[in-house]
Amino acid sequence: MEIQQFPPFTITPRHFHPIPNSTHHPVLVSPLKQQRNLLKLSPLFCSSSHSHPVMQDPILQQGNEPFGKSRDTHYKNSRKKRVFFLDVNPICYKGSIPSLQSFAHWISLFFSQVSLTDPVIAVIDGERGNEYRRQLLPSYKASRRKYWHQLQGAVKSPRSTIERSHRLILDVLQNCNVPVVKIESHEADDVIATLVEQVIQRGHRVVVASPDKDFKQLISDDVQIVMPVPEFNRWSFYTLKHYVAQYNCDPRSDLSLRCILGDEVDGVPGIQHVVPGFGRKTALKLLKKHGTLENLLNAASVRSVGRQYAQDALIKYADYLRRNYEVLSLKRDVSIHIEEQWLNERDARNDSLVLSNFLTSLKDSRNLNSQNRSHSIG
């Protein structure tokens, strides 16, 4: 059953905007409505650009002033326009299981408690987005299959059902006035990282909505993360202040730290797999002194930088660590350019109706499937 009250969304050439000087897949952009008399919705838990209080998780209630940031700078940044990037794929899961209900739940909370009427740009993984990194490291995300492919394997149904699930998600975003970007052969992470820099250059702040820890390498005075926290059933902001309180180092070292320690979820092995004594404490100590992985490796090649086991490991496994860096670093050079209309305030007046109809359609589909199973058993 399709979403009620709205005609089916058919992708036509008018929804595709070619990217200048690009050889990649075109960007799919949902058309925005022109009316801008907006409802002002109050968030229940998360901070907003409208000066509502923040209710943070207890684990994030630490740290004082943000790293290297004065109160004046904090006040100045708080007055900048805020732009959200929504990493769509992760919220389409409940645990490791693909779930349209999960998408409905988290997108509803996101619109009503987090982004409100601030501009939102949704980004979806392009086909073969992992290919480049898997060529460098075959184990990269080997145990993870993207939503659309995993859904196809999880349900024994015609391809039309899979396409309908995909279209339902695009319909919700389109009807809530959110542009959707998908670039062939690129992961959403790299597209977001590229667009984040362009938005910052325009003098705006950025919030990346995703549970993906890869985005911690982007954290700065002007870039925050807001992540879904199932234990609290809400989204929670993660800022520069929280990062420094958690790791006691500059977030510019985050990528270097992950290259040394590895990332089991993404299938990137850390140096402890080959040098068991080389752990987080050693890595943090060395990075706090040298700043980046490349600085550390260069220093280790000409002089002693620590204990002998660490020195030997950095020399022997330098290529291993540089490969990790290439795999884990977000690319900032995807051939895409921000469109000015994407930065307009979002018309949120249809949100409640769109999401209510989406949930109703999911409920009707479950009931229909249940009835079909009962008839087949009978």
Side-chain angles (χ1 to χ4, degrees), residues 145-157:
R145 300 180 64 188
K146 292 302 182 182
Y147 174 74
W148 316 119
H149 301 100
Q150 189 170 358
L151 180 61
Q152 189 169 7
V155 295
K156 299 183 184 303
S157 56

Side-chain angles (χ1 to χ4, degrees), residues 360-375:
T360 299
S361 72
L362 294 180
K363 182 179 179 181
D364 290 345
S365 295
R366 287 198 303 270
N367 291 338
L368 181 61
N369 290 336
S370 178
Q371 291 175 8
N372 290 338
R373 283 194 298 268
S374 297
H375 288 310

Side-chain angles (χ1 to χ4, degrees), residues 137 255-264 267-284 286-287 293 296-297 300 305 307-325 328:
L137 182 65
L255 176 57
S256 297
L257 179 63
R258 290 180 59 223
C259 292
I260 295 173
L261 299 180
D263 187 327
E264 291 187 6
V268 180
I271 200 170
Q272 66 270 21
H273 288 274
V274 289
V275 184
F278 204 132
R280 176 180 292 273
K281 184 176 180 180
T282 300
L284 278 172
L286 292 171
L287 288 174
L293 176 64
L296 175 59
L297 294 176
V305 296
R307 293 187 178 182
Q308 193 61 45
Y309 77 91
Q311 180 75 21
D312 293 343
L314 292 171
I315 294 174
K316 183 176 180 180
Y317 297 106
D319 290 342
Y320 178 102
L321 294 171
R322 287 190 172 102
R323 180 207 60 189
N324 281 3
Y325 189 93
L328 291 173

Side-chain angles (χ1 to χ4, degrees), residues 176-352:
C176 290
N177 300 306
V178 174
V180 180
V181 179
K182 177 181 178 181
I183 305 294
E184 183 79 11
S185 301
H186 287 285
E187 292 189 81
D189 301 10
D190 296 326
V191 177
I192 290 173
T194 299
L195 292 174
V196 162
E197 291 202 346
Q198 296 178 23
V199 170
I200 290 175
Q201 289 171 3
R202 283 168 166 74
H204 306 315
R205 290 185 296 152
V206 168
V207 182
V208 178
S210 175
D212 193 336
K213 58 186 173 297
D214 290 344
F215 289 115
K216 286 184 178 180
Q217 61 191 269
L218 300 180
I219 288 180
S220 68
D221 288 344
D222 290 315
V223 181
Q224 300 178 348
I225 298 172
V226 63
M227 57 188 72
V229 183
E231 296 86 349
F232 293 90
N233 195 34
R234 59 183 170 86
W235 293 81
S236 183
F237 279 86
Y238 187 89
T239 68
L240 182 62
K241 175 177 65 176
H242 300 129
Y243 181 92
V244 175
Q246 183 176 2
Y247 296 106
N248 193 29
C249 71
D250 191 314
R252 287 175 293 184
S253 299
D254 179 77
L255 176 57
S256 297
L257 179 63
R258 290 180 59 223
C259 292
I260 295 173
L261 299 180
D263 187 327
E264 291 187 6
V265 174
D266 284 349
V268 180
I271 200 170
Q272 66 270 21
H273 288 274
V274 289
V275 184
F278 204 132
R280 176 180 292 273
K281 184 176 180 180
T282 300
L284 278 172
K285 181 178 179 180
L286 292 171
L287 288 174
K288 287 185 73 173
K289 181 177 181 180
H290 296 277
T292 67
L293 176 64
E294 192 59 33
N295 289 344
L296 175 59
L297 294 176
N298 289 338
S301 68
V302 296
R303 68 175 189 277
S304 176
V305 296
R307 293 187 178 182
Q308 193 61 45
Y309 77 91
Q311 180 75 21
D312 293 343
L314 292 171
I315 294 174
K316 183 176 180 180
Y317 297 106
D319 290 342
Y320 178 102
L321 294 171
R322 287 190 172 102
R323 180 207 60 189
N324 281 3
Y325 189 93
E326 184 71 12
V327 170
L328 291 173
S329 60
L330 298 182
K331 310 305 176 189
R332 322 290 177 90
D333 58 355
V334 179
S335 295
I336 180 172
H337 302 282
I338 199 79
E339 299 285 345
E340 287 300 327
Q341 63 264 31
W342 299 353
L343 305 179
N344 293 334
E345 282 195 323
R346 188 179 67 85
D347 185 344
R349 289 177 295 179
N350 287 335
D351 287 2
S352 295

